[in-house]
Amino acid sequence: MKKTIITLLFGLLFTFVNGQMREQLIKQANTYKDIGDYKNAEEVVKQLINLDSKYPDNYIYWTNLGFFQMNQGKLKKALKSYNKSIKLNDSYSMAFTNRAKVYVELQENKKAIEDLEKALEIKPDNETALLDLGMIYAKKGDLKNAKIYFAQLLSKYPDNLGAAANLATIKTMEGDYAGALKDYNTLINRHSQEAKLYNNRADLYIKLKEYDKAILDIDKALEINPDYLVAITTKGELYYDKGDYENACKYFKLAIKKGYPKERIATYLKKCD
């Protein structure tokens, strides 16, 4: 499962906690979190929770526990941890945005939307909630609502790359190629090391049959991130669109070998038998 990056709030707890033991455990949890050792981080947070079950801010520990469990693929355990956090404090917006991510992974989008809307009730300018709502609606094909949330997010956070890039993608999907190209050019000028932007612009160039420009963007994306599987498949799609099935299959098979889900390009693979 793709790891989700969420800002943790252990640092804030130092002003509330008492005792050397709790302080040491918090430091340990942060150390494990920083190196991506979520298994040990989970165990340390369990110790924190058990250290003082009546600690007023225990709900934060439960949310952090859910985060570490989620990043290990323990979705049902993460869900229970977030439920516990919300039971202890139903005004903690991060517990709702984090639980929504679990629901998305479990393909329960209705519950995810409810959680994200609740997070916005608690904190109307919640950046994570606005972005994730836009993403859910975009994946559902509800571009109207997706645009509403992305635009709302940009009105509050003009530098949010995710919202801007997704709006450009929606323009591409709607056939506004000129508008999308303008947006991608602007974003790439501002974020010249974002591989995804080059890949997305390459996808647009393929639609425009501008293959020379597309290959330059794909190669740039792979220069930035050689293991960017989406860009490898985009390169395959470029050759496929040109009718060069031999090279198309070469890159599709490479992407699959590196871990890209075969079912996502099943239609293309029919030419690779």
Side-chain angles (χ1 to χ4, degrees), residues 176-191:
D176 181 8
Y177 296 157
L181 183 57
K182 181 180 178 181
D183 287 352
Y184 282 131
N185 290 342
T186 298
L187 289 171
I188 287 172
N189 283 335
R190 295 176 180 172
H191 307 277

Side-chain angles (χ1 to χ4, degrees), residues 86 89-101 111-133 149 152 156-157:
I86 290 168
N89 183 352
D90 62 1
S91 296
Y92 186 43
S93 63
M94 185 177 287
F96 287 99
T97 55
N98 287 14
R99 190 173 70 175
K101 294 181 186 298
K111 291 182 179 180
I113 290 171
E114 290 173 354
D115 269 0
L116 294 170
E117 289 176 343
K118 178 63 177 178
L120 288 176
E121 286 181 20
I122 298 169
K123 186 180 178 184
D125 61 347
N126 190 306
E127 191 170 3
T128 299
L130 290 169
L131 180 61
D132 287 354
L133 276 166
Y149 284 108
Q152 186 177 345
K156 298 176 181 293
Y157 304 95

Side-chain angles (χ1 to χ4, degrees), residues 25 42 44 90 107 109 124 141 158 188 217 229-230 232 234 256 273:
L25 289 173
E42 176 187 0
V44 173
D90 62 1
Q107 298 184 351
N109 285 341
I188 287 172
D217 271 357
L229 302 187
V230 175
I232 295 173
T234 301
I256 292 169
D273 295 334

Side-chain angles (χ1 to χ4, degrees), residues 16-213:
F16 302 106
V17 298
N18 294 308
Q20 188 176 6
M21 180 63 175
R22 185 178 289 113
E23 184 173 329
Q24 288 176 346
L25 289 173
I26 291 172
K27 287 182 178 179
Q28 284 180 13
N30 269 315
T31 298
Y32 287 131
K33 181 260 294 183
D34 290 342
I35 63 174
D37 185 350
Y38 300 118
K39 181 178 180 180
N40 277 313
E42 176 187 0
E43 296 306 314
V44 173
V45 176
K46 287 179 180 178
Q47 293 179 55
L48 279 165
I49 290 170
N50 292 330
L51 184 63
D52 185 358
S53 60
K54 296 181 180 180
Y55 178 56
D57 291 300
N58 238 5
Y59 66 91
I60 297 179
Y61 291 148
W62 282 102
T63 292
N64 287 321
L65 179 62
F67 167 82
F68 294 132
Q69 292 167 331
M70 178 169 59
N71 278 279
Q72 294 177 77
K74 300 177 180 179
L75 299 182
K76 291 184 178 180
K77 288 186 176 181
L79 192 58
K80 289 181 179 179
S81 295
Y82 291 133
N83 290 344
K84 179 66 174 181
S85 177
I86 290 168
K87 184 177 180 180
L88 292 172
N89 183 352
D90 62 1
S91 296
Y92 186 43
S93 63
M94 185 177 287
F96 287 99
T97 55
N98 287 14
R99 190 173 70 175
K101 294 181 186 298
V102 175
Y103 281 136
V104 168
E105 292 290 339
L106 294 172
Q107 298 184 351
E108 296 187 47
N109 285 341
K110 183 178 179 181
K111 291 182 179 180
I113 290 171
E114 290 173 354
D115 269 0
L116 294 170
E117 289 176 343
K118 178 63 177 178
L120 288 176
E121 286 181 20
I122 298 169
K123 186 180 178 184
D125 61 347
N126 190 306
E127 191 170 3
T128 299
L130 290 169
L131 180 61
D132 287 354
L133 276 166
M135 293 295 295
I136 290 173
Y137 281 114
K139 289 178 180 178
K140 288 174 61 178
D142 185 347
L143 303 185
K144 180 179 178 181
N145 273 313
K147 287 193 292 186
I148 288 173
Y149 284 108
F150 290 142
Q152 186 177 345
L153 177 53
L154 285 174
S155 70
K156 298 176 181 293
Y157 304 95
D159 295 326
N160 188 286
L161 177 58
N166 278 291
L167 280 174
T169 299
I170 289 174
K171 287 182 180 180
T172 300
M173 296 170 67
E174 292 179 331
D176 181 8
Y177 296 157
L181 183 57
K182 181 180 178 181
D183 287 352
Y184 282 131
N185 290 342
T186 298
L187 289 171
I188 287 172
N189 283 335
R190 295 176 180 172
H191 307 277
S192 61
Q193 294 302 305
E194 287 290 338
K196 183 177 180 179
L197 294 176
Y198 290 99
N199 177 77
N200 289 5
R201 190 171 67 177
D203 182 66
L204 175 56
Y205 280 136
I206 292 172
K207 289 178 171 58
L208 294 170
K209 308 297 182 183
E210 296 186 30
Y211 301 120
D212 291 342
K213 292 180 179 178

